[in-house]
Structure formats: structure tokens, C-alpha cells
Amino acid sequence: MSAWYGVAGSRCILLLLVVACTLPRGIQSNPAGRKCLIARDELSSLIDLLSNMEVSYEEYSEEEFEEDTLDDTNAPSCSNKLNKIRTSVRELHKNYQILKRIPQDDPISNYRMSKYRYESKLRDLNQTLSALVPQVSNQNLTALNQLRRKVKEVEIQLARSVNNLQKQREETAKELSRTVIAKINAKSVDAAIAEFKALALRSDDPFRMIVPQVYRGRDDEAAKMIDFLEAVDFNDRPIGGYEKLVDAMIIEDKLRGDNAVRILKDIQAIIMARVGQQHERAVALLKRFRSKAH
């Protein structure tokens, strides 16, 4: 019996050896489980760029971020992620520089779009770094966390810079609004319109800054405001001014008389133009006007 067990055991061992030899080499190793490696030069280059976000983007040559700075031993999926980090850092730098260079007289829409792109690149970079954490080797985890801390540090610095840019634009808009208000009060409509053009480029809602400062409840103030609104270019969305003025006159219980008649005709003219959101807003304003006018 013991001899039978010995023979059977030998056959089992032999069978296992045969099976092991015939298995594909890919089964013997697990490339998918291999940890991503971050080359030291790559890490240094990224941290250097993050440390110099205020430096002009053009001063960095393309050669500083060539593909061969990545570790060749990485699996393709790892290399792709590291490539994405490098690209995200470069695009963050580029979009920050674009945002910083936008002239004060550029439309506010351009500024907001550039700011949105910059913030999107920052989110992309943080998400990419977080996704890579479980995949890096233990020896590289410290390096990756160092890079993540640097990104957070830069994020705080750039947020301060972006806020300063925003404040500069707001201060310029306030100065322009004061000039427009003074011109309206002086009945210098043409001069007020010229300044308003510059203000409209810097503010999403320029009438919010103007109407409450011109109209304080008196009929002559309403008349000055209407004179101005009738001269505003249609592309500068005068409906916004009429909305503010009508609401203010409703509060003051002054939506009557000649001023009300003029406003009604102006609202109807905007409706007749049938242009996008101004048409829709004018229709809504007309309903509100009719329900409150005397």
C-alpha cells in the first residue's frame, strides 16, 4: 500500500511539473500589479515648473519635458498617467499665464472663460495625482506626496494672485461706473455712453452699479435714466437697465405718468426686435410692468 502511495505521489508531482512548464510565461508574472515608478528627474522638473508659475511660459523649452524623462520600466498605463501629470502641470502653467495677461479692456466674458479653463486644469491635476497614489511604488509614494503638497502650495499662491486680478478689474469697473453716473446726472448722454462701453466690458451687470445711484425716487432722476437707456447700444443689453429701473420705480410707487409711458414704449421696442434673451426678458418685464403701472 505504501508503495502504491509513493508511485501515485510521484505521478502527481510529475504531472504538476508538466503543467507548470506548459503554462504561458505571462501567467507566471503579474505585470498589471507592477507599481508605477517616478523618475527623479521627472519629479524635479515638475516641482521646478510649479515653483516658477510666474515665469513666462515661453521661457520653458519643449525639451525640458521630453518623453524620455519618464521611467522606461513602467507599464504603459503608468507611463500614460505620468504623461498626463506632466501635461496637466504644463497646461496649468500656460492657462495661468494666459489669465494673468488678459488686458483690462478685454470683455469680462473672455476673462471668465480663461479663469474657468485655469481652474479646470487645476482640478484635473489634483484628480490625476490622487488617482496615481494607489499605483506608485512605496519608495515613490513619498515623492508623489511631495509633488501633491507642492501643488497645494501653488494652488494657494495662485488663488491669491487670481483674486488680486479680479479685484483690479472690479476697482476699474467701479471707477468707470462713477464716471458714467456723473455723466448721466449732468445729462451728458453721449459722454456717458462712451464710458459705459468700457464699463460693459468689465462687468456682467453694469446696470446694477448705475441705476440705484442715479434713480433715488424722483421723477427727474427717472427721466435722466430713461434718456441714457434709450441711447444704450442694443448689443449692450439695455433690458437689464429697464429691469432695474422698473423694479426701483415699483418700490417707490412711481411707475406712472410720462416716465412710465416712455418705459412701456421702450420695452415694446425691445420685444419687437425679437433678439434672444433680451426678447424673453422684455416679455417678462412687460407683464410685471402692466401689473404694477398706474
Side-chain angles (χ1 to χ4, degrees), residues 62-120:
E62 293 294 323
E63 288 76 12
E64 291 187 50
F65 295 96
E66 289 295 333
E67 295 292 329
D68 57 11
T69 60
L70 295 177
D71 196 314
D72 292 333
T73 62
N74 273 314
S77 61
C78 291
S79 294
N80 289 339
K81 287 183 174 65
L82 293 172
N83 277 331
K84 188 175 180 180
I85 290 175
R86 186 204 308 115
T87 300
S88 294
V89 171
R90 294 177 65 193
E91 289 184 348
L92 176 67
H93 185 196
K94 182 177 181 179
N95 279 273
Y96 170 69
Q97 289 289 325
I98 291 173
L99 175 63
K100 195 172 74 167
R101 295 177 187 178
I102 291 181
Q104 284 278 332
D105 57 356
D106 254 27
I108 186 68
S109 57
N110 289 354
Y111 172 79
R112 295 206 183 284
M113 180 58 69
S114 293
K115 185 179 179 183
Y116 171 78
R117 287 172 180 161
Y118 156 73
E119 291 172 343
S120 295

Side-chain angles (χ1 to χ4, degrees), residues 232-289:
V232 172
D233 190 292
F234 196 81
N235 291 325
D236 290 326
R237 301 183 296 278
I239 187 61
Y242 286 105
E243 288 171 337
K244 298 291 188 301
L245 181 58
V246 168
D247 288 344
M249 292 177 72
I250 289 173
I251 292 173
E252 296 291 337
D253 194 27
K254 292 292 184 69
L255 198 58
R256 57 177 179 267
D258 292 341
N259 287 334
V261 172
R262 290 179 66 188
I263 291 173
L264 175 61
K265 291 180 179 179
D266 293 342
I267 294 173
Q268 290 172 332
I270 294 174
I271 292 174
M272 292 296 292
R274 295 184 177 278
V275 177
Q277 290 186 350
Q278 285 205 84
H279 171 79
E280 297 171 2
R281 290 167 66 181
V283 170
L285 181 59
L286 181 60
K287 292 179 181 178
R288 193 156 73 249
F289 178 94

Side-chain angles (χ1 to χ4, degrees), residues 12-250:
C12 287
I13 293 172
L14 180 60
L15 180 61
L16 289 172
L17 288 172
V18 171
V19 171
C21 291
T22 57
L23 283 174
R25 285 185 174 272
I27 296 179
Q28 296 178 30
S29 61
N30 184 17
R34 183 165 53 192
K35 295 289 186 178
C36 294
L37 302 175
I38 303 177
R40 184 171 298 177
D41 290 345
E42 173 75 2
L43 178 65
S44 297
S45 296
L46 292 173
I47 290 179
D48 179 62
L49 180 55
L50 287 167
S51 299
N52 293 281
M53 296 294 282
E54 297 295 341
V55 175
S56 174
Y57 181 78
E58 289 78 6
E59 292 185 22
Y60 285 89
S61 63
E62 293 294 323
E63 288 76 12
E64 291 187 50
F65 295 96
E66 289 295 333
E67 295 292 329
D68 57 11
T69 60
L70 295 177
D71 196 314
D72 292 333
T73 62
N74 273 314
S77 61
C78 291
S79 294
N80 289 339
K81 287 183 174 65
L82 293 172
N83 277 331
K84 188 175 180 180
I85 290 175
R86 186 204 308 115
T87 300
S88 294
V89 171
R90 294 177 65 193
E91 289 184 348
L92 176 67
H93 185 196
K94 182 177 181 179
N95 279 273
Y96 170 69
Q97 289 289 325
I98 291 173
L99 175 63
K100 195 172 74 167
R101 295 177 187 178
I102 291 181
Q104 284 278 332
D105 57 356
D106 254 27
I108 186 68
S109 57
N110 289 354
Y111 172 79
R112 295 206 183 284
M113 180 58 69
S114 293
K115 185 179 179 183
Y116 171 78
R117 287 172 180 161
Y118 156 73
E119 291 172 343
S120 295
K121 297 304 178 184
L122 185 58
R123 284 194 300 272
D124 290 345
L125 177 57
N126 279 317
Q127 290 171 1
T128 303
L129 289 172
S130 296
L132 190 60
V133 169
Q135 300 181 46
V136 298
S137 62
N138 290 333
Q139 68 190 58
N140 281 165
L141 185 58
T142 300
L144 181 60
N145 284 333
Q146 180 184 355
L147 181 58
R148 294 176 72 194
R149 285 193 297 272
K150 186 62 181 180
V151 170
K152 287 298 180 184
E153 175 187 324
V154 169
E155 183 176 351
I156 293 171
Q157 293 173 351
L158 297 189
R160 192 178 300 118
S161 178
V162 170
N163 286 338
N164 287 336
L165 291 174
Q166 181 72 27
K167 287 179 181 178
Q168 289 173 13
R169 294 186 71 91
E170 290 173 354
E171 285 301 318
T172 302
K174 287 179 182 178
E175 291 178 11
L176 285 168
S177 70
R178 286 192 284 267
T179 303
V180 173
I181 291 165
K183 299 295 184 184
I184 293 174
N185 286 329
K187 296 185 178 181
S188 300
V189 175
D190 291 342
I193 290 296
E195 296 293 335
F196 179 78
K197 282 284 187 183
L199 174 61
L201 291 174
R202 294 167 170 81
S203 174
D204 290 321
D205 189 5
F207 297 108
R208 175 182 56 81
M209 308 173 73
I210 296 172
V211 175
Q213 301 302 319
V214 174
Y215 178 68
R216 304 294 184 94
R218 293 190 349 225
D219 290 342
D220 63 319
E221 294 168 340
K224 290 178 183 178
M225 197 67 240
I226 296 169
D227 289 341
F228 171 75
L229 290 174
E230 288 176 344
V232 172
D233 190 292
F234 196 81
N235 291 325
D236 290 326
R237 301 183 296 278
I239 187 61
Y242 286 105
E243 288 171 337
K244 298 291 188 301
L245 181 58
V246 168
D247 288 344
M249 292 177 72
I250 289 173

